[in-house]
Amino acid sequence: MNFTQEINRRRTFAIISHPDAGKTTLTEKLLLYGGAIHLAGSVKARKTARHAVSDWMEIEKQRGISVTSSVLQFDYEGHRVNILDTPGHQDFSEDTYRTLMAADSAVMLIDVAKGVEAQTEKLFRVCADRGIPIFTFVNKIDHFGRNPYDLMSELESMLGIRACPMNWPVGINGKYQGIYERETDTVHVFERSGDHGQNKLAVTSGKRTAPEIQALLSEDVLAQLEEDIELLDVAGDPFDAEKIAHGKLTPLYFGSAMTNFGVQPFLESFLKMAPAPAPRRALEETVSPQNEDFSAFVFKIQANMDPKHHDRIVFMRICSGQFEKGMSVLHRQSGKTIRLTQPQQFLATERTIIESAYPGDIIGVFDPGTMGVGDTLCDPKHVVTFADFPVFPPELFARVAPKDSLKRKQFLKGMRQLSQEGAIQIYTQGEGRESFIIGAVGQLQWDVLQYRLQNEYNVTVELIPLPYSVARWALNATPEDLTGLGTSMIVYDNKQRPVILLANEWQTNWLTERNPGVTFVASPPIVTVDQEEK
């Protein structure tokens, strides 16, 4: 298989949703069909000690939630699939945002009973801003659900995107008995059977006029199905590949991830329509995946995937050129040439050493601490710089210090590594200060920080909340130049830029009014390597 063929068979996508919509379950079922796992674990199956394969961190298994993005690969019908399973919880929006930067498309998961929820809307906006294709999977149709027309209307009113149903739920008043495949004119009727733990369904499939289908559905259900089919054909949005490719129209699917119902048809349809790796904008040029010069960017760092060895894995998205094990590349931010050793691909914590990879692939490499999130790696003979990622403004702040001063070394190492991951934002108050100030988007980030410091670095910490909710960077002034600071606190970010912590928006407006010539921003300015060199 040549270079172009390898690129064209790649599909790299993220799965986004509100918490509890079934995102991790859908991820597992896709892996199951891809042959990557033989038994789908359930985060609810506590007694059998089975957990979601993409939830590798111990706290995820305990709480039944995803708190960090997972990177998973498998092959299916000639495609190399890279799934980016993101945290649904809003406290980890920043990790999700960075992960979405590495995706070429997104699968948006919606609960059939709840419709579009707050976190789904927020993540949709990130995808829409990038103009990437969005495929919608309405989950849990084996339970009571809302009217599908209402869900389509909600997609348009809340998200501003029209939907083209690829299949349609069969049933009346939210009591669904199957789905109808529009393209093949086939009905799949489900009945519960088999091992309850596996949640399998007995499925009967056939044309909607077939005797076996007619026998399973009542006259009212069949009449409703005929009416729905006619209405969709006459008044529904037609399939438009161009609109889908630019994120203006979403293909809509109905199914149940927990029971496997509708998942395989969705996977096969999605892989046909989802885009191959797309060009990426760099500061110097637009980088084509067909360019034979290697380039990639770091979108995630994970410490201690193997707690015994305290390893540090850098995840990168390959944008152009063929990656080869042991190759030397330019680390754009430091200007150093580094060798990428022991490259790996992942199925949760299961690692496979690879010899090569292509644009669209996600790989992990060991790193001693040289690279950071957003960094660029490229061929020294063809230098490009991918733009750094924006940072979510933190809303919660606390002072953190080790309870045992004898464990300060482990504490410093843990804080440094976890901040490099982007798990939290860390600030200092200058040289010689014994504690850190941490910023978070939500309370759960603090819980995870304390848990990981305790379990991965054997350090118990004390968190003291601070009365601030706003952080501001001054673009064209130093703290000494400012008036009206009042009770604010001056701290320094990881690039030693001063940050002003303020109690609320009122104090922020006061500071802005007192300093009319100063520009205050909620996220740190993005600095390129060329600006740093100057």
Side-chain angles (χ1 to χ4, degrees), residues 279-299:
R280 295 272 160 171
R281 280 189 204 163
L283 302 181
E284 300 84 357
E285 61 185 271
T286 296
V287 179
S288 168
Q290 302 289 344
N291 191 315
E292 295 188 357
D293 293 324
F294 176 82
S295 68
F297 63 84
V298 176
F299 70 92

Side-chain angles (χ1 to χ4, degrees), residues 289-331:
Q290 302 289 344
N291 191 315
E292 295 188 357
D293 293 324
F294 176 82
S295 68
F297 63 84
V298 176
F299 70 92
K300 177 181 174 62
I301 296 173
Q302 191 70 58
N304 305 319
M305 286 191 76
D306 183 351
K308 295 178 182 177
H309 297 96
H310 291 289
D311 57 352
R312 183 176 189 271
I313 303 294
V314 168
F315 290 89
M316 63 184 73
R317 152 77 191 230
I318 300 174
C319 300
S320 66
Q322 181 176 348
F323 171 86
E324 294 180 350
K325 180 181 175 182
M327 71 187 302
S328 294
V329 298
L330 173 66
H331 177 232

Side-chain angles (χ1 to χ4, degrees), residues 168-451:
W168 195 252
V170 177
I172 299 175
N173 297 327
K175 296 179 181 178
Y176 298 122
Q177 296 173 249
I179 55 174
Y180 168 71
E181 299 275 354
R182 294 182 68 193
E183 184 179 3
T184 60
D185 190 35
T186 302
V187 175
H188 306 279
V189 181
F190 56 74
E191 294 178 285
R192 294 187 181 278
S193 70
D195 178 14
H196 179 69
Q198 285 291 88
N199 284 298
K200 285 186 177 179
L201 297 179
V203 180
T204 303
S205 301
K207 299 295 183 183
R208 70 179 189 273
T209 55
E212 63 269 24
I213 298 298
Q214 299 277 320
L216 288 171
L217 301 175
S218 69
E219 289 185 12
D220 289 345
V221 170
L222 287 168
Q224 181 66 56
L225 176 59
E226 293 297 328
E227 184 181 321
D228 287 341
I229 292 171
E230 184 178 353
L231 184 59
L232 290 172
D233 289 343
V234 173
D237 283 76
F239 181 87
D240 188 321
E242 188 70 17
K243 287 184 178 179
I244 293 170
H246 291 91
K248 304 298 183 185
L249 179 71
T250 180
L252 181 64
Y253 302 83
F254 293 83
S256 167
M258 183 62 75
T259 60
N260 299 333
F261 187 72
V263 175
Q264 190 168 12
F266 161 71
L267 174 61
E268 292 172 358
S269 176
F270 168 77
L271 292 177
K272 288 177 185 175
M273 288 190 285
R280 295 272 160 171
R281 280 189 204 163
L283 302 181
E284 300 84 357
E285 61 185 271
T286 296
V287 179
S288 168
Q290 302 289 344
N291 191 315
E292 295 188 357
D293 293 324
F294 176 82
S295 68
F297 63 84
V298 176
F299 70 92
K300 177 181 174 62
I301 296 173
Q302 191 70 58
N304 305 319
M305 286 191 76
D306 183 351
K308 295 178 182 177
H309 297 96
H310 291 289
D311 57 352
R312 183 176 189 271
I313 303 294
V314 168
F315 290 89
M316 63 184 73
R317 152 77 191 230
I318 300 174
C319 300
S320 66
Q322 181 176 348
F323 171 86
E324 294 180 350
K325 180 181 175 182
M327 71 187 302
S328 294
V329 298
L330 173 66
H331 177 232
R332 189 75 176 101
Q333 277 61 28
S334 68
K336 297 177 181 177
T337 299
I338 59 177
R339 193 162 176 263
L340 301 180
T341 59
Q342 292 185 280
Q344 305 168 48
Q345 288 186 326
F346 294 81
L347 174 58
T349 49
E350 295 178 20
R351 313 179 188 191
T352 302
I353 299 294
I354 59 169
E355 297 296 325
S356 62
Y358 295 85
D361 280 340
I362 307 297
I363 64 170
V365 297
F366 285 101
D367 176 61
T370 306
M371 291 181 265
V373 171
D375 286 3
T376 297
L377 301 166
C378 61
D379 188 316
K381 299 188 293 292
H382 187 168
V383 176
V384 294
T385 315
F386 296 107
D388 199 359
F389 299 164
V391 175
F392 274 42
E395 300 172 5
L396 300 173
F397 299 90
R399 189 184 302 279
V400 59
K403 288 186 176 180
D404 184 349
S405 59
L406 296 178
K407 293 188 175 180
R408 180 158 181 79
K409 185 176 179 181
Q410 298 99 302
F411 169 72
L412 292 174
K413 180 180 179 181
M415 292 295 288
R416 183 181 71 253
Q417 289 190 339
L418 294 180
S419 68
Q420 287 172 337
E421 283 184 21
I424 47 167
Q425 296 176 36
I426 291 185
Y427 308 95
T428 60
Q429 286 186 277
E431 295 295 328
R433 299 300 291 263
E434 291 298 306
S435 63
F436 290 95
I437 306 299
I438 58 171
V441 176
Q443 175 70 41
L444 191 53
Q445 284 180 282
W446 287 357
D447 296 344
V448 172
L449 172 69
Q450 289 177 289
Y451 179 90

